[in-house]
Amino acid sequence: MMRRYFTLWNVILLSVFAVLFFLVIYPMFSIFYASFQDPETGQASLESYQKIFRLPYYLRCLRNSLWVSGLSTLLSLMIGIPFGFFTSRYHLPGKSLIKTLATLPLILPTFIGAEAWILLLGRNGWLSNLLKQVGITLPSIYGWQGIVLVFTLQFFPFVFLMVSASINSIDRSLEESAGNLGAHPWRVFRTVTLPIVTPSVVAGALVVFYMSIENFGVPQLIGEDYRVLAVQAYNEFISEMGGNPSMAGALSTVLVLITFLVTFVQKYWVERKSYSMSSLRPPEIKRLKPFPTFCVWLFCAAIVFIALSPFLVILLSSITKNQGPVMYFGQFSLKNLTQAFRIAPRPIFNSFFLSTVATLIGIVFGLAVSYLVVRRRGPVTYLLDLLMILPLVVAGTVLGIALAATYNKGRIVLTGTWMILVLAYFIRKVPFSIKTTSSILQQIDASVEEASINLGVPPVRSFLKVVVPAMLPGIAAGAIMMWVTTLAELSSTIILYYGPWTTMTVQIFQYVGSGDFGPASAYGTILILSVLIPLFFLHRFLGRDVTATL
Amino acid sequence: MRVRLNGITKTFGSLKALDRVSLLIEEGKFFTLLGPSGCGKTTLLRVIAGFASPDSGEIFFGDQRINHIPPYKRETGMVFQNYALFPHLDVFGNVAYGLRARRIPKEEIRSRVHQVLKKVQLESLSRRFPGQLSGGQQQRVALARALVIHPRVLLMDEPLSNLDAKLRVAMRQEIRKIQRDLGITTVYVTHDQEEAMAVSDSIAIFNHGAIEQVGTPSEIYFRPQNRFVAEFTGTSNLMEVKVTAYDEEASLLTGDLKGNRVFLRCTQKPAGETLTILLRPEWIKIARDEEEPSTNLFHGQVVSSTFVGFMVKYQVKAFGDQVLAIEVQDPQEHEIKKEGDLIYFRFHANRPVVIAS
């Protein structure tokens, strides 16, 4: 009986490996392979790589990518670290609201942020027009400035979250004992607090860098001629003059190498450097004098306001009268919303349908992987745990290119079906599901399962009857996170979608590209609300912080 | 149900967790596996439950060989160290779980659950969830859940180790009472020798995956067969004695203890020339002075003296540089000695136990 039981899990293990192979490893290998082929003759060639590192046109893409990502990381640290310190160490009015709102930019789609900044500060932007009337001309939002602005405002919460989690894990006695040993408060901060927080700061910085370099929508919308790797890979692949698979492959490979390096450092260096402490008494929350409190509060509140204002702009724009690209702020109209709902609801349906199917597959897959990795420890499951980094490493654009190039011919043809979208979403977002389910599974002692088996229920049924119900809150949290982030997915969708399966994100993207901010904002509003409402319920009913999953 | 283990061996990698363990646990007995952590006692319990399969050896419940029977068909009731209550089910749901798995009619489930909850005094809490219960209450739920299925054998894995000292004593008496009432064969794992003696009919002492001795609590305490058992079951003074003479008629052995003549009662002539003898601290009595005529009267110097209320614990340096533990009950009868004082002590020739070395 025991033998048969093991075989069942082996079948599951094998299917998990097969999924990883067909959705990540094989497609990645095939674009990697293509990158070493001359597109015309099919001969082995290093030409594409030579071009990237020799031709200024391509070299600039690499430099641009590193520049915007590096700068955004630096600015995120400059905002995120003080924000984290202030909100964890000082009493501030409305602090819990500020902290909750500050995490929202992480979940809201970045390309909608880009659209909003164009509406505000673009060529015909509301704010730039307003300032022009009083004689102030702002520097252009297009190019790297705009990209960095959007990245910084949307990604700084990663730094803030990691820093505040780390600060709160320092037991009060640690700083007290440093003080007791004769160190001044500043010295305590420098020699005790800061070194403990450093690994988290680095971890936050790496996440920001990674998120920035793999982003496609923001540089595409607001960068204009400022090309980055993700955008260039997309252009090479989609090019109207017939794509260049070799060049697209080479650019993807370079991008993946960078993201792989970042992820690797994150996982193996930072995690090892982190100090784990069981904090018994969290640090004291200090009360500052009124004026310093006001200054600190103003800093935090202003940051949150600026970071969220783009989304308010979108909500406002969706009910504003417009004529083509010209928005008449102050004059209201429901035309765009009704149009989205009545005349063109298909993208809404598509987004919901695709996300739901991808999430359902993700729940099952996440459950299986978590069980294997947490409960059946061994060399094979360890390998599985390692391989599960792959979906995280591959940027959305790259995954899209890889899947499209692999499954457009041969035995399995998926390009041009809705299934390829579901598969791309599933593999890209399933780490959310795995992370939440495996962390909750780790908290459930294996003896609970054994107790059930001991009481007469066979192993697989025991798992379903006892472990799964106990895991439900975690599964639900992971599923909701997977669902909302899939809904907002653009970078692989833009490569894999086709006519009837246009999603909301593609629709918004195209409307912004053609300057139709009215309908773009209408879909944007629907998308923002579809993301926020489930998260609200997650927060309300499961008492679960969204941020635990990120 | 009688449980019989025959030559059970189990290795984890290079570690021998169980080394040819054979045991016979009689029907209705409370049997305890006692030993230090990592000695293999929990592994043996898991072998009986079916969660670990032995590399070799046989397990019998009654006359039935159960090696091939999967854990969920073994009909054992296991109480886990951390209770392993199902967090999503209330007390009633937890206790009813095993009955529902057996497709027992609803009415019967209800009455059996209530009956067993009454037995563990939890009737009023049947709608609470595990998270709302104290450690002791969770312990009772775990016990009730194991008992309600009328298991063939009750298995308990250090069930009291997560409770505080007072509750531990109360719970162990309760467990023992319930076990007696139901007459259920019980295998109990603990590393606490006092707990083992308080509840068991029989104890098996484990060390490095093998059994050192099996016996009743008093056999184990008063007649330990070797040094490990002696030291594990209580404070032990172990001394080397050289045999000088043996009087068969009187069963009296005369020996030499670092130049002092010592008399020991021995039913048969020991094989070796040197013996290891065990003296428990409470077997040694304090003498007023050397004038008190007695055999086995010795003296030493107090190294430390600890007054704990109902007794005084002395560390006494005697027989050269050996340090003996001596415990004196009702300390007011004697003057309490201080560090550095000279102290006279004696023990009856019947008391020392000869340990096979």
Side-chain angles (χ1 to χ4, degrees):
Chain A
M1 286 306 268
M2 285 308 269
R3 218 147 278 272
R4 197 171 67 95
Y5 172 42
F6 278 114
T7 310
L8 171 69
W9 282 107
N10 282 346
V11 170
I12 294 173
L13 187 65
L14 211 64
S15 346
V16 167
F17 274 118
V19 165
L20 273 178
F21 179 78
F22 283 110
L23 292 186
V24 189
I25 298 168
Y26 177 59
M28 282 312 293
F29 175 78
S30 59
I31 60 165
F32 185 65
Y33 183 73
S35 74
F36 287 103
Q37 261 185 333
D38 189 293
E40 264 124 56
T41 60
Q43 298 286 306
S45 145
L46 283 173
E47 207 195 318
S48 299
Y49 289 95
Q50 281 167 345
K51 274 190 194 161
I52 291 179
F53 293 104
R54 291 243 180 86
L55 289 185
Y57 180 73
Y58 290 110
L59 203 55
R60 206 179 298 135
C61 291
L62 177 61
R63 245 191 8 237
N64 287 350
S65 268
L66 294 174
W67 167 250
V68 289
S69 307
L71 194 59
S72 307
T73 306
L74 195 70
L75 292 174
S76 296
L77 289 178
M78 286 165 62
I79 297 175
I81 296 173
F83 197 99
F85 266 96
F86 293 158
T87 51
S88 6
R89 282 295 170 93
Y90 300 123
H91 279 288
L92 297 174
K95 192 168 71 177
S96 72
L97 182 67
I98 288 181
K99 281 167 87 171
T100 309
L101 289 179
T103 60
L104 286 182
L106 294 182
I107 303 132
L108 292 165
T110 48
F111 61 94
I112 292 185
E115 181 206 341
W117 285 109
I118 295 173
L119 277 171
L120 279 175
L121 295 173
R123 286 193 190 91
N124 200 18
W126 178 73
L127 207 57
S128 33
N129 285 344
L130 204 70
L131 290 169
K132 223 177 272 169
Q133 282 169 4
V134 290
I136 303 170
T137 316
L138 287 176
S140 169
I141 188 88
Y142 302 98
W144 63 265
Q145 303 91 326
I147 303 174
V148 170
L149 174 74
V150 177
F151 283 170
T152 305
L153 289 176
Q154 293 219 258
F155 298 146
F156 87 89
F158 282 118
V159 179
F160 142 63
L161 286 174
M162 294 197 187
V163 167
S164 57
S166 161
I167 291 176
N168 286 325
S169 76
I170 303 174
D171 192 285
R172 190 181 298 186
S173 62
L174 229 58
E175 291 181 354
E176 283 173 354
S177 73
N180 175 261
L181 292 167
H184 286 285
W186 171 241
R187 196 188 169 79
V188 172
F189 177 81
R190 198 164 49 80
T191 56
V192 176
T193 318
L194 206 57
I196 293 174
V197 174
T198 302
S200 313
V201 171
V202 176
L206 288 170
V207 175
V208 174
F209 188 87
Y210 167 81
M211 294 298 288
S212 304
I213 208 160
E214 75 105 40
N215 194 292
F216 164 78
V218 174
Q220 174 76 359
L221 286 180
I222 211 170
E224 298 210 323
D225 288 336
Y226 193 84
R227 297 256 166 88
V228 297
L229 284 175
V231 170
Q232 192 57 36
Y234 166 80
N235 287 340
E236 294 287 343
F237 188 74
I238 297 290
S239 172
E240 283 162 31
M241 284 92 81
N244 179 346
S246 172
M247 201 61 221
L251 288 166
S252 299
T253 305
V254 172
L255 185 54
V256 166
L257 280 179
I258 298 172
T259 49
F260 175 77
L261 200 72
V262 171
T263 315
F264 183 81
V265 172
Q266 157 85 10
K267 192 157 170 97
Y268 289 97
W269 187 74
V270 177
E271 278 182 14
R272 211 161 289 174
K273 287 280 289 192
S274 304
Y275 309 96
S276 65
M277 279 173 289
S278 50
S279 173
L280 299 171
R281 285 193 314 153
E284 183 189 7
I285 300 172
K286 293 196 182 92
R287 198 175 287 281
L288 293 172
K289 292 203 181 83
F291 183 68
T293 300
F294 175 74
C295 292
V296 167
W297 180 85
L298 191 67
F299 171 81
C300 296
I303 295 289
V304 169
F305 177 76
I306 296 170
L308 289 179
S309 58
F311 302 97
L312 295 175
V313 168
I314 296 300
L315 297 184
L316 193 67
S317 301
S318 71
I319 50 166
T320 290
K321 212 174 131 190
N322 77 305
Q323 198 150 43
V326 185
M327 307 295 294
Y328 298 103
F329 286 105
Q331 300 178 41
F332 297 102
S333 153
L334 287 176
K335 191 190 85 193
N336 288 315
L337 278 175
T338 39
Q339 178 143 6
F341 277 117
R342 276 229 207 98
I343 302 165
R346 182 70 200 258
I348 305 173
F349 165 80
N350 286 349
S351 284
F352 278 45
F353 172 78
L354 296 171
S355 301
T356 307
V357 177
T359 304
L360 290 176
I361 303 174
I363 292 172
V364 177
F365 189 82
L367 208 55
V369 171
S370 306
Y371 191 85
L372 288 169
V373 171
V374 176
R375 286 285 199 267
R376 320 236 136 229
R377 276 169 207 274
V380 184
T381 52
Y382 181 71
L383 178 71
L384 178 66
D385 196 22
L386 284 183
L387 288 179
M388 285 318 300
I389 307 173
L390 286 178
L392 287 173
V393 167
V394 180
T397 319
V398 176
L399 185 74
I401 291 173
L403 287 174
T406 311
Y407 295 111
N408 66 349
K409 56 184 186 297
R411 251 174 241 156
I412 318 162
V413 178
L414 292 172
T415 310
T417 67
W418 59 270
M419 278 165 322
I420 199 163
L421 282 167
V422 165
L423 292 175
Y425 291 162
F426 150 69
I427 200 71
R428 216 160 120 60
K429 305 297 178 182
V430 78
F432 282 120
S433 168
I434 294 173
K435 199 173 169 191
T436 45
T437 41
S438 63
S439 73
I440 198 159
L441 186 59
Q442 256 155 1
Q443 291 161 22
I444 301 169
D445 201 279
S447 64
V448 171
E449 245 171 299
E450 289 180 347
S452 167
I453 295 171
N454 177 258
L455 291 167
V457 179
V460 178
R461 264 178 54 212
S462 282
F463 177 68
L464 295 176
K465 276 184 79 169
V466 172
V467 183
V468 171
M471 287 170 74
L472 271 183
I475 295 173
I480 288 176
M481 280 309 293
M482 210 180 144
W483 194 79
V484 301
T485 52
T486 305
L487 217 51
E489 214 279 351
L490 174 70
S491 52
S492 61
T493 317
I494 198 76
I495 291 162
L496 296 171
Y497 88 98
Y498 75 108
W501 286 94
T502 303
T503 63
M504 279 196 275
T505 53
V506 171
Q507 201 70 282
I508 297 166
F509 183 75
Q510 287 173 341
Y511 278 131
V512 176
S514 61
D516 293 310
F517 294 110
S521 303
Y523 284 111
T525 298
I526 298 165
L527 185 55
I528 292 170
L529 294 179
S530 316
V531 167
L532 290 185
I533 291 166
L535 289 176
F536 173 77
F537 284 110
L538 179 70
H539 194 75
R540 189 70 194 275
F541 293 112
L542 291 172
R544 208 162 252 276
D545 227 335
V546 177
T547 54
T549 325
L550 292 164
Chain B
M1 186 64 59
R2 200 177 65 164
V3 177
R4 190 154 64 85
L5 304 173
N6 199 355
I8 303 283
T9 298
K10 173 83 186 169
T11 50
F12 295 114
S14 62
L15 179 84
K16 225 171 201 171
L18 294 172
D19 190 6
R20 286 161 296 167
V21 171
S22 297
L23 272 180
L24 181 66
I25 300 164
E26 289 295 350
E27 165 117 43
K29 291 291 186 226
F30 197 115
F31 194 95
T32 296
L33 310 176
L34 173 67
S37 59
C39 69
K41 55 196 193 299
T42 293
T43 306
L44 187 64
L45 198 73
R46 292 173 63 83
V47 164
I48 299 173
F51 292 123
S53 49
D55 302 337
S56 63
E58 295 176 295
I59 317 152
F60 292 92
F61 281 2
D63 294 326
Q64 186 195 9
R65 185 175 180 277
I66 59 155
N67 283 49
H68 61 284
I69 295 185
Y72 56 94
K73 288 187 180 161
R74 285 203 184 175
E75 307 274 324
T76 61
M78 182 139 169
V79 178
F80 290 82
Q81 183 169 13
N82 58 359
Y83 319 135
L85 298 182
F86 306 131
H88 63 298
L89 299 178
D90 60 9
V91 169
F92 186 95
N94 263 281
V95 178
Y97 187 90
L99 298 176
R100 285 184 180 142
R102 286 167 176 70
R103 309 201 181 288
I104 284 167
K106 266 204 172 120
E107 270 314 302
E108 192 187 336
I109 290 183
R110 192 172 312 158
S111 72
R112 273 169 75 173
V113 171
H114 280 298
Q115 216 178 329
V116 76
L117 285 179
K118 201 171 178 179
K119 195 151 207 74
V120 297
Q121 299 158 33
L122 277 181
E123 252 194 324
S124 56
L125 301 180
S126 69
R127 289 295 158 210
R128 293 266 188 99
F129 281 83
Q132 302 167 306
L133 300 176
S134 70
Q137 289 165 340
Q138 291 185 30
Q139 166 70 69
R140 287 161 207 261
V141 177
L143 181 61
R145 186 177 68 179
L147 288 174
V148 77
I149 60 167
H150 300 325
R152 298 199 277 184
V153 183
L154 180 64
L155 305 173
M156 307 182 94
D157 184 9
E158 309 224 14
L160 305 179
S161 62
N162 288 333
L163 302 179
D164 64 60
K166 254 192 190 147
L167 196 54
R168 206 149 54 207
V169 173
M171 267 317 285
R172 78 187 185 204
Q173 271 151 358
E174 203 170 318
I175 289 173
R176 176 58 162 158
K177 185 177 172 302
I178 290 171
Q179 186 270 338
R180 270 215 189 114
D181 287 352
L182 299 175
I184 182 167
T185 311
T186 300
V187 185
Y188 188 97
V189 164
T190 182
H191 62 267
D192 180 336
Q193 44 95 7
E194 187 190 316
E195 185 178 301
M197 302 218 195
V199 294
S200 314
D201 293 312
S202 278
I203 298 175
I205 308 266
F206 264 75
N207 189 26
H208 296 309
I211 293 174
E212 297 278 352
Q213 187 174 351
V214 182
T216 64
S218 62
E219 279 166 2
I220 296 277
Y221 188 78
F222 291 118
R223 294 280 169 249
Q225 278 167 7
N226 60 41
R227 191 179 268 264
F228 178 82
V229 175
E231 287 181 335
F232 195 76
T233 49
T235 314
S236 309
N237 296 306
L238 293 164
M239 287 164 289
E240 302 286 316
V241 173
K242 231 182 246 149
V243 180
T244 49
Y246 182 69
D247 179 350
E248 210 151 337
E249 246 166 78
S251 306
L252 197 68
L253 181 142
T254 313
D256 176 80
L257 177 52
K258 294 274 171 64
N260 301 285
R261 196 155 59 147
V262 60
F263 297 98
L264 308 173
R265 190 80 60 198
C266 260
T267 44
Q268 59 193 39
K269 186 176 161 53
E273 283 196 358
T274 337
L275 306 173
T276 302
I277 62 164
L278 162 73
L279 267 177
R280 299 281 187 204
E282 70 276 15
W283 299 347
I284 304 175
K285 303 290 176 205
I286 297 300
R288 279 183 210 286
D289 53 41
E290 85 253 59
E291 302 306 328
E292 193 173 316
S294 171
T295 53
N296 294 345
L297 178 72
F298 308 101
H299 64 85
Q301 193 184 21
V302 176
V303 177
S304 82
S305 156
T306 313
F307 176 66
V308 295
F310 68 100
M311 68 168 159
V312 185
K313 297 182 177 188
Y314 290 115
Q315 297 281 321
V316 173
K317 199 166 147 189
F319 312 123
D321 52 3
Q322 183 152 22
V323 176
L324 300 181
I326 301 178
E327 290 173 4
V328 182
Q329 301 273 342
D330 198 0
Q332 264 186 315
E333 277 203 356
H334 302 269
E335 171 198 4
I336 297 174
K337 304 280 185 190
K338 293 188 300 294
E339 213 172 287
D341 285 354
L342 185 70
I343 191 168
Y344 285 88
F345 60 90
R346 61 188 157 81
F347 52 86
H348 198 276
N350 285 346
R351 296 321 296 258
V353 178
V354 176
I355 304 247
S357 7

